[in-house]
């Protein structure tokens, strides 16, 4: 097991203009918990101290954070590859060069190949058009930078795949990606039962079926999608099972990528996709917090909760148990207030 995390995910804020039905952090529905600039830089320096290979800046919506480019440059200067994830809503032309200069890659999240699908998943009318505008700005910026020999602007598209949107994967390859010739990456990732996606009802209606999960890991399925996309774009399909953090998986892959998730105020999550923290980067060094996190991975409650996980629905039950056990009183109150998901997303056949 690595003595330090190899990758860090920092949710810079829980502020978000969107209300995604599957949001793992319930961003936009809770206090932002964003730090002031000085404390953000202190957290950044704590992360830099362990020299992670990659740092992902997420949220909420990271582009609403005024310090985002200063933080990204700090991590890049320290030798980490910086990935920024955005829903695209706040993207402005003036941001494009800053993104290119400070980040290794910019990833725009698009969860439907049509406005009808995307806007329902994302919970706000107009979010699809905003995402397309963001991609167009990145595409234009990437082309202009390439033509003048500037540092490349690398960008891609990330789609969280729900049961209701599974049928649109080919449409992403044939209709969306060709609009942006400078794009290099299209990633399809199965929605995982964390946060709002772990709610009672969501598993039954929107987590992928066993058959769909099998397709997500099938080479022939991936090859078909790759053949439909422009040859300049690399397509990935991920079942995201590794995010389960099943103790048996961890034991079998002890030397694999180890991810530390940092909440907006510097609190460190013990497990990537589950509630429950182990301390704060503002008050304790990363190695101490990281060891506490590692200890959590094989806690008896975690082992017992994961012991009978065979299906996505089982995983959702295990998530709810882990979150409720390790979460603070505020976390449990938030979980108790989550609205039940009672029906599948209403979508037309593409």
């Amino acid at each position: 097991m690595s003595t330090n995390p190899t990758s860090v995910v920092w949710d810079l804020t829980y502020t978000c203009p969107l209300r995604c039905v599957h949001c793992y952090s319930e961003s936009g529905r809770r206090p932002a918990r964003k730090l002031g600039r000085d404390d953000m830089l202190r957290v950044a320096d704590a992360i830099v101290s362990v020299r992670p290979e990659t740092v992902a800046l997420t949220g909420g919506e990271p582009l609403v954070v005024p310090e985002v480019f200063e933080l990204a440059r700090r991590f890049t200067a320290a030798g980490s590859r910086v990935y920024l994830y955005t829903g695209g809503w706040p993207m402005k032309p003036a941001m494009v060069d800053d993104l290119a200069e400070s980040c290794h890659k910019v990833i725009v999240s698009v969860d439907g190949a049509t406005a009808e699908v995307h806007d329902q998943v994302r919970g706000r009318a107009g979010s699809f058009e905003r995402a397309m505008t963001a991609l167009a700005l990145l595409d234009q910026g990437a082309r202009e930078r390439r033509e003048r020999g500037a540092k490349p602007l690398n960008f891609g598209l990330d789609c969280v795949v729900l049961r209701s949107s599974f049928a649109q994967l080919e449409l992403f390859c044939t209709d969306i990606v060709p609009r942006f010739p400078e794009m290099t990456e299209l990633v399809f990732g199965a929605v995982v039962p964390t946060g709002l996606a772990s709610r009672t009802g969501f598993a039954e209606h929107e987590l992928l079926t066993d058959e769909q999960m099998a397709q997500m890991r099938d080479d022939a399925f991936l090859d078909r999608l790759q053949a439909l996309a422009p040859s300049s774009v690399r397509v990935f399909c991920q079942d995201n099972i590794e995010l389960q953090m099943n103790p048996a998986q961890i034991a079998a892959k002890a030397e694999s990528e180890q991810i530390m998730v940092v909440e907006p105020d510097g609190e460190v999550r013990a497990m990537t996709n589950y509630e429950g923290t182990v301390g704060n980067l503002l008050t304790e060094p990363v190695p101490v917090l990281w060891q506490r996190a590692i200890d959590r991975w094989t806690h008896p409650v975690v082992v017992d909760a994961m012991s009978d996980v065979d299906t996505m629905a089982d995983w959702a039950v295990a998530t709810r148990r882990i979150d409720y056990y390790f979460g603070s009183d505020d976390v449990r109150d938030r979980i108790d207030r989550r609205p039940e998901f009672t029906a599948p997303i209403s979508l037309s056949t593409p």
Side-chain angles (χ1 to χ4, degrees):
M1 193 71 65
S2 175
T3 56
N4 284 311
T6 57
S7 297
V8 175
V9 177
W10 187 4
D11 295 336
L12 297 180
T13 179
Y14 288 143
T15 296
C16 187
L18 307 179
R19 300 292 183 271
C20 302
V21 298
H22 52 56
C23 185
Y24 90 99
S25 64
E26 295 177 82
S27 291
R29 305 167 174 90
R30 58 188 296 192
R33 287 175 57 192
K34 176 191 171 298
L35 295 170
R37 176 180 177 274
D38 288 348
D39 281 339
M40 292 190 89
L41 294 179
R42 288 176 59 202
V43 169
D45 287 343
I47 294 170
V48 165
S49 72
V50 294
R51 306 184 66 82
E53 296 173 11
T54 64
V55 176
L57 301 179
T58 62
E61 173 52 67
L63 289 183
V64 304
V65 175
E67 301 86 356
V68 63
F69 301 121
E70 182 179 11
L71 294 169
R73 286 191 293 270
R74 210 174 189 91
F75 293 126
T76 297
S80 297
R81 296 190 304 276
V82 176
Y83 298 86
L84 185 139
Y85 289 80
T86 175
W89 188 279
M91 181 79 76
K92 294 178 175 61
M95 295 177 173
V96 172
D97 281 336
D98 280 330
L99 288 166
E101 293 296 332
S102 62
C103 299
H104 178 76
K105 184 171 291 185
V106 181
I107 301 96
V108 179
S109 300
V110 183
D111 290 347
T114 61
E116 177 198 22
V117 176
H118 177 87
D119 288 0
Q120 288 195 62
V121 174
R122 290 276 164 173
R124 186 166 183 182
S127 60
F128 180 78
E129 290 306 319
R130 290 283 192 125
M132 294 301 103
T133 297
L135 287 167
L137 288 172
L138 293 169
D139 191 69
Q140 178 182 346
R143 183 181 67 254
E144 292 175 351
R145 294 180 67 85
R146 175 173 53 77
E147 290 173 349
R148 68 175 188 262
K151 178 186 174 184
L153 169 56
N154 299 311
F155 73 98
L157 186 156
D158 181 90
C159 173
V160 176
V161 184
L162 282 66
R163 190 180 305 184
S164 292
S165 60
F166 188 85
Q168 287 206 323
L169 301 196
E170 292 188 2
L171 198 59
F172 272 96
C173 300
T174 60
D175 186 60
I176 301 297
V177 174
R179 303 183 198 180
F180 311 106
E182 301 291 330
M183 183 187 296
T184 60
E185 182 177 284
L186 169 61
V187 179
F188 296 118
V191 63
V192 300
T194 183
L196 291 176
S198 69
R199 286 179 287 173
T200 301
F202 196 92
E204 292 77 7
H205 292 300
E206 290 298 343
L207 296 184
L208 298 187
T209 65
D210 290 343
E211 180 183 26
Q212 289 168 335
M213 287 292 285
Q215 286 184 275
M216 292 293 288
R217 63 178 73 97
D218 180 44
D219 289 342
F221 182 70
L222 174 60
D223 290 345
R224 184 167 74 252
L225 294 175
Q226 183 67 73
L228 291 171
S231 59
S232 58
V233 175
R234 188 173 179 189
V235 180
F236 298 87
C237 277
Q238 300 171 346
D239 64 11
N240 286 330
I241 290 297
E242 72 275 6
L243 298 178
Q244 191 177 100
M245 295 193 74
N246 190 307
Q249 291 176 328
I250 293 170
K253 299 174 64 176
E255 299 304 318
S256 64
E257 180 186 38
Q258 304 293 340
I259 303 172
M260 181 176 76
V261 176
V262 182
E263 297 187 346
D265 57 3
E267 287 287 316
V268 173
R269 284 197 173 203
M271 301 176 72
T272 305
N273 285 289
Y274 305 92
E275 299 282 359
T277 59
V278 291
N280 196 297
L281 292 174
L282 292 173
T283 57
E284 296 183 277
V286 174
V288 171
L289 301 178
W290 184 239
Q291 185 58 55
R292 288 182 197 155
I294 291 173
D295 293 342
R296 175 72 56 83
W297 303 350
T298 53
H299 187 282
V301 169
V302 175
V303 173
D304 189 58
M306 289 293 180
S307 62
D308 295 323
V309 173
D310 294 318
T311 66
M312 296 295 281
D314 294 339
W315 186 0
V317 172
T319 298
R320 293 196 294 270
R321 180 178 173 189
I322 291 170
D323 286 355
Y324 216 79
Y325 184 87
F326 292 107
S328 64
D329 289 342
D330 287 344
V331 166
R332 285 189 284 270
D333 287 344
R334 175 161 46 83
I335 292 172
D336 289 339
R337 293 194 305 270
R338 287 173 181 166
E340 185 175 354
F341 192 85
T342 57
I345 298 167
S346 176
L347 307 176
S348 300
T349 301

